[in-house]
């Protein structure tokens, strides 16, 4: 959460895919959303009052916003027969980036926080996933996972929405790299990587330089950078 005191996560601890909140560092998980079907991919609003997530309560994966206090649905943001998932709020809370296969393959889209103005922003590639907004105020910068159509490998790229959707490749020819997460100042990105030099969680500069292995114990995925203290 923006305060750094809560973690939202999906668990099957009660057999269905429900959304839970847990205090950091201790505390028992509290079930927040248990709508029929999947309750997954939660992302905090900048003020911590809401969560965007994917619900399949109506039979199809759509993006909703719920209250962080009690899980009550505030609004439904997408409504179509395609899969919409992986929402992430912009730093000012006015936009949400997400993934949709409405054009036949997973691509990155951006919409207003009320669901309006949905548009594709990933400029190329047949498989783009796991978008995350740079949390620094005043920036409209996305990082996401993109599959190279020639090699079949997964790489981390960034997309500058304020600079004609300029795309910068963070990783290349370094195994498979997925699930980026920004540092609070947006100077660095952490991500999961499987490469010959060693697999685990890596950290590097946003331009791709200075990459180093941070954690290499066991099978690691889905890093999430905490807020600035």
């Amino acid at each position: 959460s923006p305060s750094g005191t809560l973690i939202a996560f999906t668990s099957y601890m009660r057999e269905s895919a429900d959304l839970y909140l847990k205090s950091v560092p201790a505390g028992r998980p509290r079930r927040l959303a248990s709508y029929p079907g999947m309750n997954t991919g939660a992302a905090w609003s900048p003020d911590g009052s809401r969560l965007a997530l994917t619900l399949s309560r109506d039979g199809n994966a759509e993006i909703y916003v719920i209250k962080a206090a009690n899980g009550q649905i505030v609004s439904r943001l997408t409504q179509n027969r395609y899969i919409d998932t992986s929402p992430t709020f912009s730093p000012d809370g006015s936009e949400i980036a997400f993934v949709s296969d409405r054009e036949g393959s997973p691509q990155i889209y951006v919409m207003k926080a009320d669901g309006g103005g949905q548009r594709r922003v990933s400029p190329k590639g047949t498989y783009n996933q796991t978008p995350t907004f740079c949390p620094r105020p005043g920036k409209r910068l996305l990082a996401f996972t993109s599959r190279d159509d020639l090699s079949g490998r997964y790489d981390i790229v960034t997309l500058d929405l304020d600079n004609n959707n300029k795309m910068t490749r963070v990783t290349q020819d370094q195994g498979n790299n997925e699930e980026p997460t920004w540092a609070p100042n947006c100077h660095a990105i952490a991500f999961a990587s499987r490469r010959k030099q060693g697999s685990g969680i890596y950290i590097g500069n946003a331009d791709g330089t200075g990459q180093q292995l941070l954690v290499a114990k066991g099978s690691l995925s889905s890093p999430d950078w905490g807020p600035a203290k």
Side-chain angles (χ1 to χ4, degrees):
S1 62
S3 66
T5 60
L6 292 169
I7 291 177
F9 63 97
T10 296
S11 175
Y12 286 84
M13 67 177 71
R14 297 187 184 179
E15 298 185 354
S16 58
D18 297 332
L19 183 70
Y20 291 81
L21 295 183
K22 185 183 184 301
S23 297
V24 179
R28 294 176 59 85
R30 173 172 65 92
R31 188 164 61 170
L32 181 67
S34 56
Y35 295 100
M38 305 288 288
N39 299 255
T40 62
W44 294 91
S45 64
D47 65 2
S49 67
R50 296 166 293 150
L51 288 158
L53 77 166
T54 298
L55 300 178
S56 60
R57 62 194 297 264
D58 299 312
N60 188 50
E62 305 286 358
I63 294 175
Y64 288 75
V65 173
I66 63 173
K67 293 181 180 179
N70 56 19
Q72 179 182 345
I73 291 176
V74 176
S75 59
R76 176 175 173 172
L77 303 184
T78 62
Q79 188 164 348
N80 56 68
R81 63 188 180 90
Y82 302 100
I83 296 174
D84 299 313
T85 187
S86 302
T88 175
F89 277 96
S90 64
D92 64 1
S94 67
E95 295 179 297
I96 293 175
F98 64 102
V99 176
S100 178
D101 67 349
R102 62 187 65 181
E103 292 185 17
S105 65
Q107 299 293 340
I108 311 300
Y109 289 76
V110 170
M111 60 183 166
K112 296 179 181 178
D114 63 2
Q118 299 179 19
R119 66 195 187 281
R120 176 178 166 177
V121 296
S122 49
K124 57 184 178 180
T126 59
Y127 190 95
N128 296 296
Q129 283 273 25
T130 65
T132 178
F133 262 110
C134 155
R136 184 177 176 182
K139 294 283 188 180
R140 296 178 68 240
L141 194 61
L142 283 167
F144 58 92
T145 303
S146 182
R147 186 177 66 192
D148 188 300
D149 290 340
L150 294 178
S151 68
R153 293 175 177 170
Y154 296 90
D155 282 307
I156 306 300
V157 300
T158 65
L159 194 69
D160 190 341
L161 300 179
D162 285 327
N163 189 13
N164 297 316
N165 288 0
K166 178 184 177 182
M167 193 165 73
T168 300
R169 197 153 179 168
V170 178
T171 63
Q172 188 169 8
D173 299 325
Q174 297 164 298
N176 284 301
N177 308 276
E178 301 177 81
E179 301 169 330
T181 176
W182 290 95
N185 62 10
C186 295
H187 292 166
I189 296 175
F191 54 93
S193 182
R194 299 186 302 279
R195 55 180 73 178
K196 291 181 180 179
Q197 300 94 320
S199 297
I201 304 300
Y202 277 73
I203 185 174
N205 297 321
D207 62 1
T209 62
Q211 294 181 27
Q212 56 182 306
L213 182 61
L214 186 65
V215 185
K217 187 176 181 179
S219 178
L220 304 171
S221 64
S222 305
D224 195 358
W225 211 304
K229 294 295 186 181

